[in-house]
Structures are given as C-alpha cells and as structure tokens.
Amino acid sequence: MLSQNTIAIVKSTAPILQEHGETLTRHFYQRMFSHNPEVGPFFNPANQTKGTQQRALAGAICAYAANIDNLEVLGDAVELIANKHVSLMIKPEHYPIVGENLLASIKEVLGDGATDDVINAWAEAYGFLTDILVGREKQIYSDSATKDGGWEGFRKFKVDRKDKESSNIASFYLKPEDGGPLPDFMPGQYITIRVPTPDGSTTMRNYSLSNKPGRDYFRISVKRELALVDGAPDGFVSNMLHDNIEQGDTLEIGPPCGEFFLNVKDRHERPLVLLAAGIGITPIMSILKTTLEAMPDREIILIHGCLTDEVQPFKSVIDEFSAKHPNLKVHYRYSDLAPDADLPDENCSTGFVDAELIESMVPDRHADYYFCGPKPFMINIYQDLLLWGIPSSQVHFEFFGPREELEKAA
C-alpha cells in the first residue's frame, strides 16, 4: 500500500497538475517519442495532432492524484485503460519507459515545485498504479488466450467479404487465415487492426464489432475519415481499408477487447434504449442483434442520428428487424436535411437526437441506456440522463475521446 506521506504529497499536487496538466502531457509525449521512438506505433498520430491523447492523459493523472486515497472510484477508469492497453499489446516492459519520461516531464515542467519529495512520491504512486494495471491486463491477456478460439497477439485474417453500407461506410467480413474457430465476444466490444505504414513501422486502430457473436467471422464497419480542417491528413487506416483492402486480402487482428458491452446474462424487465449517432451505430448494432436473439420479448427502443440518409448504414436491416419484432421501436433523426425535405419514412424526423425525442419514446424514462457517437452527441445524452436522475448502473457508453471531457462537460 502507499504510505500516508506519499498520499498526502500526491494529493497536494493535484491542483498544480490541474493547472498545468495539458502542458505537462504535451511535454511528456514529445519527450517520450524523442527518447523512445519505439513506442510510437502504440499511439494514433491523429489523436496527438488533435490533442485528445494529451487531454486524456492529463485528465487521468489529475483524477488519480485527486482520488489516490479512494481508488475504488477509479475502478471504471482502470478497466477502460486496461482493455485499451491489452488491445494495443502493451506489456509490463513498456511501463518503465512511460514512468521515466513522465517523472522527467513533471520535473522539467514544474521546475522548483518538483522537489525530491514530490518526485519520489509520484514515483511510488506510479509504481503502485502500474502494479494494478499490469495485474488486470495479465488477467485479460490470459482470458483472451485461453478461451475457445482465443489467442494473444496478432492473428492473420482474410477479408472474406467487403460490402458498401453507405456513401462513406464499408463493412469487412474477416475470417481466420488458419481456419480455426473464433472466440465468443461481448456485444459492444472491439478488435484491433495493425497495418504497415509508409515509414516501415506499423500503426493500430480499434474498430467495434458490428455483428453479433457466434459467427465464423468478425465484422467491422468502417467510416472513411476525412480531415476536418485544411492541411490536416485524412485518417490513414480508414482510407487504406476503403481504398486498398479488398476480398482475399490479409489483415492482422487482435482479439476482442473493451469494457462497453451488454451482458445478456443480466435479465431486466425495463426497456433497453439504444442511442447512436453516425458511425456510433457499429457497437449498437451488435447489441441490438444479440438482444433480439437472446431476449426476443424485451422492449427495445433504437434511435439513430445521422447527417443524411445517404451516409446512414444498416437502415434496411434495422427496418427488417422492426417489421419482424413488434417489441422494437425505431426512429431515425437527420441533422443535415432541410426542415421541409422529404423524409424516407414515417419514423424519421429532422434535427438532433435530444431529450424531447428520447422521452417521447421512453415516457417513464426508467430504462437501460447504451449510447455511442461523437463528442457533442455524447455530452448532450450524458447530461440529459444525469438530469433525469438515471442511476449510473443503467447508463453505459462508448465515448470517442477522453472520458474526462464527457464528465467535465456534464
């Protein structure tokens, strides 16, 4: 356990880290990539450019410092980080690299405030957190490798099929090259794809599994990511998959990971509300298909927000489910259609997914909520559910970015 002196010192630095958090983490990443370029393939350059990686680490460090005497409240964060680390094949030997550069950055950024006592306390605190994460990651690695069809590391898969789902989304059906079985996964989880880069290295991306478990293939549905501002690069992996990967090609795949999922063993009578925006529909599709099969009588409400029907994936499939299952209610909301535009169906409207729409479909609000999408959508949904007093045990989400931004905004 941590000494009381270490706890006191780390907690005392929390306000300083809150003030200088992003400066510290920007310095940390620059230093680490300079001193230890071998860790570069573990990180998404786009997240570095946008600053999301720096903000995520700053939030995590500040949360750890503020709650170091009550680490139980960080349980969800530990599970999120451990799953992400396992998906990227981060191992115990990588932690000393991070620790060395983090402590050096604290010393260099804080200057005189980084006394020997502060550095020693943070070294002890980092070692303690390392032990927690390494222990949990070891368990996840073992579980993935020992289950039927499971493995550790990267396994070669063939693209068995490639389907166009919308103007900017394609689905890839992936089968093991060795012909072996696939492990079960929890609906909502993701896999990792590792691809070569022009500089001779590799890079990795996580993609949600968009089909239900129990098939002889994995399916991912990938949106072509274009640069949001002039001069910025398009998404490297998504564009490579769209432009260069076809049926018969081989990809390296890591086993399923992720703490956002529906456990079908948890049987509830309350409705299941599935909320998605854009490509956030991918894990929601896995949850929807699994629930319809495992709990066909459960009331399900699905709301999918899209820019237009041109970029909307899976509509025909969802409509088929809705026609077949009277307990499934579906609504589509389009944000970039003109208010007087012709709508595809009666269960469509224009605007954004908001509390009024959700409440019109879930009048008593008492339900289990699963939601996924881009940051503005997530923040609004999260705020609405907090205002409604929905218990945290009934709120589940996959956030594209630092979770601290979601909670801070709320």
Side-chain angles (χ1 to χ4, degrees):
M1 297 297 293
L2 292 170
S3 68
Q4 288 302 312
N5 184 55
T6 291
I7 290 174
I9 291 174
V10 169
K11 281 187 72 71
S12 73
T13 63
I16 303 172
L17 293 174
Q18 187 74 42
E19 181 181 355
H20 300 285
E22 283 193 51
T23 301
L24 169 65
T25 53
R26 279 196 299 271
H27 184 281
F28 158 73
Y29 281 115
Q30 290 170 357
R31 188 184 198 283
M32 184 170 66
F33 293 148
S34 174
H35 287 73
N36 300 94
E38 68 273 17
V39 302
F42 294 107
F43 297 89
N44 184 339
N47 288 340
Q48 291 289 321
T49 302
K50 292 185 291 186
T52 53
Q53 191 75 54
Q54 294 91 329
R55 289 192 294 275
L57 180 60
I61 291 171
C62 292
Y64 183 49
N67 295 284
I68 197 165
D69 55 346
N70 185 24
L71 294 179
E72 289 183 2
V73 303
L74 299 179
D76 289 345
V78 167
E79 189 66 13
L80 175 100
I81 293 169
N83 272 274
K84 183 65 71 173
H85 282 181
V86 168
S87 77
L88 300 175
M89 308 302 160
I90 290 174
K91 296 297 180 70
E93 58 265 28
H94 296 123
Y95 279 88
I97 296 173
V98 173
E100 178 184 343
N101 285 286
L102 180 60
L103 293 175
S105 294
I106 291 175
K107 195 166 188 177
E108 292 164 15
V109 171
L110 298 188
D112 293 340
T115 63
D116 288 345
D117 286 344
V118 167
I119 295 300
N120 291 337
W122 267 100
E124 183 183 347
Y126 178 78
F128 183 74
L129 181 59
T130 294
D131 289 342
I132 293 174
L133 288 170
V134 167
R136 177 61 184 132
E137 289 158 18
K138 181 180 179 181
Q139 184 180 12
I140 298 172
Y141 279 122
S142 176
D143 291 345
S144 294
T146 57
K147 66 169 54 175
D148 291 343
W151 74 97
E152 182 176 338
F154 286 93
R155 184 177 176 186
K156 290 186 177 180
F157 280 65
K158 287 283 189 183
V159 177
D160 187 62
R161 217 171 101 199
K162 179 181 178 181
D163 288 346
K164 187 174 182 178
E165 304 287 1
S166 75
S167 63
N168 63 350
I169 295 172
S171 285
F172 298 81
Y173 293 74
L174 309 169
K175 289 188 174 183
E177 190 175 67
D178 58 22
L182 288 176
D184 235 355
F185 63 88
M186 302 296 280
Q189 290 189 304
Y190 53 81
I191 56 174
T192 303
I193 290 183
R194 183 172 70 178
V195 300
T197 55
D199 63 1
S201 183
T202 60
T203 189
M204 294 173 277
R205 298 292 186 274
N206 300 138
Y207 290 107
S208 297
L209 291 157
S210 60
N211 210 344
K212 61 187 175 183
R215 297 295 179 263
D216 64 349
Y217 60 85
F218 286 153
R219 186 181 77 171
I220 57 172
S221 302
V222 180
K223 175 188 173 187
R224 182 191 292 275
E225 297 291 350
L226 302 178
L228 298 178
V229 295
D230 292 340
D234 295 334
F236 174 75
V237 177
S238 69
N239 280 273
M240 186 205 71
L241 290 172
H242 274 263
D243 295 335
N244 302 328
I245 300 299
E246 301 295 340
Q247 183 177 356
D249 289 335
T250 301
L251 292 170
E252 290 188 311
I253 305 293
C257 283
E259 84 298 341
F260 171 71
F261 56 79
L262 174 76
N263 189 343
V264 294
K265 294 180 181 178
D266 295 335
R267 303 281 174 156
H268 299 297
E269 293 184 1
R270 55 183 174 260
L272 174 65
V273 180
L274 305 176
L275 308 169
I279 195 60
I281 191 64
T282 51
I284 297 301
M285 277 298 290
S286 181
I287 292 173
L288 173 64
K289 288 188 171 187
T290 304
T291 306
L292 289 174
E293 182 177 277
M295 296 173 272
D297 296 326
R298 186 173 187 183
E299 182 182 0
I300 305 171
I301 295 94
L302 170 66
I303 300 175
H304 187 196
C306 294
L307 296 177
T308 66
D309 55 344
E310 180 187 356
V311 298
Q312 179 182 7
F314 310 128
K315 182 178 184 300
S316 61
V317 176
I318 293 172
D319 287 344
E320 287 179 16
F321 289 154
S322 181
K324 184 178 178 181
H325 298 273
N327 55 308
L328 171 62
K329 294 188 291 185
V330 176
H331 191 90
Y332 306 116
R333 176 151 281 191
Y334 303 107
S335 59
D336 277 18
L337 290 180
D340 57 349
D342 292 332
L343 295 171
D345 293 295
E346 292 183 358
N347 62 337
C348 302
S349 60
T350 57
F352 295 98
V353 177
D354 54 21
E356 183 179 359
L357 174 60
I358 299 170
E359 194 166 28
S360 71
M361 301 186 69
V362 195
D364 66 359
R365 300 179 178 177
H366 182 57
D368 289 313
Y369 295 85
Y370 288 76
F371 53 105
C372 183
K375 181 179 171 181
F377 166 82
M378 298 292 292
I379 289 174
N380 289 336
I381 298 300
Y382 191 69
Q383 288 177 335
D384 291 337
L385 297 181
L386 283 182
L387 288 172
W388 288 355
I390 306 299
S392 59
S393 61
Q394 295 171 218
V395 176
H396 312 270
F397 53 87
E398 180 81 292
F399 185 45
F400 297 160
R403 189 170 296 202
E404 292 76 18
E405 292 186 4
L406 175 68
E407 294 169 347
K408 183 178 179 180

